[in-house]
Amino acid sequence: MATTTKKKLVTWDPANVKEELLKKYPAKVARKRAKQIMINEALENETPEIHANVRTIPGIITMRGCTYAGCKGVIMGPTRDIVNLVHGPIGCSFYAWLTRRNQTDAGPDGENYMNYCFSTDMQDSDIIFGGEKKLTQAIQEAYDLFHPKSIAVFATCPVGLIGDDIHTVTKNMKEKFGDCNVYAFSCEGYKGVSQSAGHHIANNQVFRHIVGENDEVKPGKFKINLLGEYNIGGDGFEIDRIFQKCGITCISTFSGNSTYDQFASAHTADLNAVMCHRSINYVADMLETKYGIPWIKVNFIGANATAKSLRKIAEYFGDKKLIAQVEKVIAEEMPDVEAVSKDIRTRTEGKTAMMFVGGSRAHHYKELFDEMGMKTISAGYEFGHRDDYEGRHVIPDLKVDADSRNIEEIEVEPDETRFKPRKTAKQMAALEKSGYKFKHYDGLAPDMDNGTLIIDDLNQYEAEKLVEIMKPDIFCAGIKEKFSIQKLGVPMKQLHSYDSGGPYAGFKGAINFYKEIDRLVNSKVWSYMKAPWQTNPQLSAAYVWE
Ligand code: CFM
């Protein structure tokens, strides 16, 4: 007979939960972790300070990835026509080979290297005698085989340790080829405290070596760049569909389903729309300083958020036809979304969620859970910085430590010939006066309810404790967490790779997400976690002859 477990209503005091999470740690570790576990009391103008972007304590099983992952996988991974050559032992390449589910469309030219895994396959002898010769040969081989527009070289930990000069090697090869842009990234895994450092290293080099290479003016009236959208599970395809329907031209996406030429032409757009603040906000700043393109924060995760972001883009251009078209698209798309939302809400309303993802998704996906009537009781980032939690106003107060000093900040000046303000000072002031916000992001904390827990760099031990105490209806994180959480009897949704699902962005994506979460939180399977003899050990039986 199946046992049905009726869920008790769980209430908790956040201070007790925090105490419980810290209880097992040695005093010094507990003191450090306490600063990264924040009981949210964000008021309108005030947010409690959180310790973030600091080293993980050795011995703790962190959810984070390495700097190389942030550079090679996250930023450069989704660009299809650049040969991404990893200089290092083969394991680093294999790990970064198509595991992120960033999708691509090979386009009319069909140039797509994403399905290849390029590596110098360093051996012990290369570590001892140096790997520069091998790297030179590998670049030559890739060039001879594919004749790509561009080859990017990524340093893994041993390369930094032995001191191979990858930048000189790539510079020489670029000069030798003449028709192929070759550059390198010093993104050794240990370079920063997380993959966030890798984003910065990648973006700096893209800005330095590619942006501005193509001045050709592309057709389109309302031209934007979408920064920080990586086409996971096809999110970018859905956003592109919506842009096209609205008449908005996306010159480049950094870097979902992108090409070399998109980066090269990015300076020709008239607005930068930033999705993932963490991975790219500094590129938006550099594009503004050098070329005069203003930037705004957008979010295409959630149907309401999508509508809001489209209206924001239309308002920037201020064109009556565009504004009308955006309204028309929203009016066309929303009825389907609302029909599904109405149906699933009868089953999802009041359920609870926890989210611990990279550096922006916990905030973005909260919108989708809100739309389902679900409450986010705890959330956090693996590698967010204080501004991702508390808002950009804290940026001037951020402490520069040895680790952040290690990551280069590029000094940018207005381009002598190509700097062009997209709007007059008067136009910008008028927009701002009407409440329009440029360069603005308030972070996760103000959107979280009072008394919820915001936790930075959550680890495996704390994740399990948190689930045991707070018993959410769903837990969202990555593959490393998936099965340990499910063994606790709580459904787990991967918000990095989306398991095998997606897209979840835009209008169609919202519908997909509603249905998926409804299915997960209402599945009966979790009530069968306990075998009958665990809840009722006294089984009675009789012999057949009795
Ligand atoms: Fe930005 Fe990302 Fe994220 Fe990120 Fe990432 Fe990702 Fe992420 Mo995984 S760029 S910070 S380094 S939104 S791969 S597409 S899901 S951790 S929350």
Side-chain angles (χ1 to χ4, degrees), residues 158-178:
V159 171
L161 294 173
I162 64 173
D164 275 355
D165 185 357
I166 55 173
H167 298 284
T168 301
V169 172
T170 49
K171 193 171 155 263
N172 291 343
M173 294 311 268
K174 181 181 173 177
E175 274 162 23
K176 181 179 173 193
F177 298 148

Side-chain angles (χ1 to χ4, degrees), residues 199-495:
H199 303 151
H200 213 137
I201 293 164
N203 285 319
N204 281 351
Q205 293 296 72
V206 168
F207 196 81
R208 183 180 275 140
H209 292 278
I210 318 179
V211 172
E213 287 287 298
N214 186 0
D215 282 328
E216 181 198 326
V217 179
K218 302 266 157 74
K221 205 166 167 201
F222 310 110
K223 289 187 256 189
I224 68 162
N225 296 316
L226 183 58
L227 306 187
E229 204 303 310
Y230 300 93
N231 202 22
I232 311 295
D235 276 353
F237 295 145
E238 165 66 358
I239 300 172
D240 281 345
R241 178 187 75 85
I242 299 169
F243 281 163
Q244 271 168 23
K245 218 171 152 185
C246 291
I248 297 163
T249 307
C250 192
I251 295 291
S252 76
T253 302
F254 281 57
S255 58
N257 190 34
S258 59
T259 57
Y260 177 85
D261 187 58
Q262 288 189 24
F263 293 146
S265 315
H267 63 298
T268 65
D270 294 319
L271 173 71
N272 284 318
V274 175
M275 265 285 277
C276 168
H277 177 264
R278 175 65 273 130
S279 61
I280 208 151
N281 66 87
Y282 36 85
V283 173
D285 279 340
M286 292 194 287
L287 282 164
E288 178 159 29
T289 312
K290 189 160 177 185
Y291 300 106
I293 313 170
W295 73 264
I296 54 167
K297 174 77 179 74
V298 293
N299 175 23
F300 290 99
I301 303 294
N304 295 331
T306 300
K308 208 171 133 191
S309 298
L310 291 173
R311 287 185 175 124
K312 210 167 163 185
I313 293 171
E315 196 186 340
Y316 167 80
F317 287 104
D319 180 275
K320 281 206 181 95
K321 269 197 193 146
L322 176 67
I323 294 171
Q325 181 61 15
V326 161
E327 288 307 325
K328 194 172 153 230
V329 170
I330 296 169
E332 268 171 30
E333 299 278 338
M334 278 313 249
D336 285 353
V337 176
E338 276 155 10
V340 179
S341 142
K342 205 173 147 210
D343 171 41
I344 55 102
R345 267 188 96 117
T346 57
R347 295 178 297 274
T348 54
E349 188 90 53
K351 301 240 184 231
T352 57
M354 282 184 185
M355 275 177 286
F356 295 92
V357 212
S360 74
R361 290 204 164 167
H363 192 189
H364 289 164
Y365 276 79
K366 187 181 173 292
E367 297 255 5
L368 271 172
F369 282 116
D370 286 349
E371 289 176 5
M372 302 175 77
M374 289 178 63
K375 194 167 150 38
T376 305
I377 52 176
S378 186
Y381 298 133
E382 289 169 31
F383 52 77
H385 298 201
R386 275 187 60 201
D387 38 316
D388 304 304
Y389 290 103
E390 302 169 50
R392 286 181 64 83
H393 63 274
V394 303
I395 290 178
D397 311 329
L398 293 185
K399 274 191 216 96
V400 180
D401 59 14
D403 292 310
S404 44
R405 206 170 291 127
N406 213 8
I407 310 304
E408 182 195 23
E409 291 282 346
I410 303 189
E411 285 294 327
V412 192
E413 307 252 295
D415 190 280
E416 273 175 28
T417 53
R418 294 177 294 179
F419 177 86
K420 176 177 70 118
R422 294 334 201 238
K423 292 208 177 270
T424 62
K426 213 173 141 197
Q427 285 171 324
M428 292 289 277
L431 270 170
E432 279 174 325
K433 212 177 151 205
S434 70
Y436 199 92
K437 286 175 175 163
F438 289 101
K439 298 169 90 129
H440 183 265
Y441 181 50
D442 273 337
L444 168 71
D447 266 353
M448 291 285 287
D449 285 349
N450 255 4
T452 51
L453 283 144
I454 298 181
I455 307 178
D456 182 63
D457 189 16
L458 187 78
N459 55 58
Q460 192 180 1
Y461 168 74
E462 290 168 13
E464 288 183 14
K465 267 268 161 237
L466 210 56
V467 168
E468 276 168 23
I469 306 168
M470 295 173 88
K471 299 193 172 33
D473 292 300
I474 194 161
F475 189 93
C476 304
I479 188 65
K480 300 194 287 296
E481 295 73 50
K482 183 156 183 101
F483 301 103
S484 68
I485 297 296
Q486 289 194 160
K487 281 178 187 165
L488 299 173
V490 170
M492 198 284 180
K493 176 73 193 163
Q494 290 190 66
L495 279 192

Side-chain angles (χ1 to χ4, degrees), residues 105-150:
D105 173 350
D109 59 49
E111 204 174 346
N112 179 20
Y113 305 114
M114 220 180 269
N115 39 353
Y116 291 93
C117 178
F118 299 95
S119 169
T120 55
D121 185 20
M122 271 184 129
Q123 302 296 319
D124 297 2
S125 58
D126 303 315
I127 307 282
I128 296 162
F129 299 109
E132 287 173 16
K133 269 197 200 126
K134 199 168 193 183
L135 176 61
T136 309
Q137 277 166 6
I139 296 171
Q140 185 69 51
E141 194 181 334
Y143 179 80
D144 292 342
L145 281 172
F146 298 102
H147 290 283
K149 302 177 181 73
S150 178

Side-chain angles (χ1 to χ4, degrees), residues 94-108:
F94 187 79
Y95 175 72
W97 185 22
L98 283 181
T99 48
R100 184 159 166 258
R101 296 194 72 239
N102 42 247
Q103 299 187 357
T104 195
D105 173 350

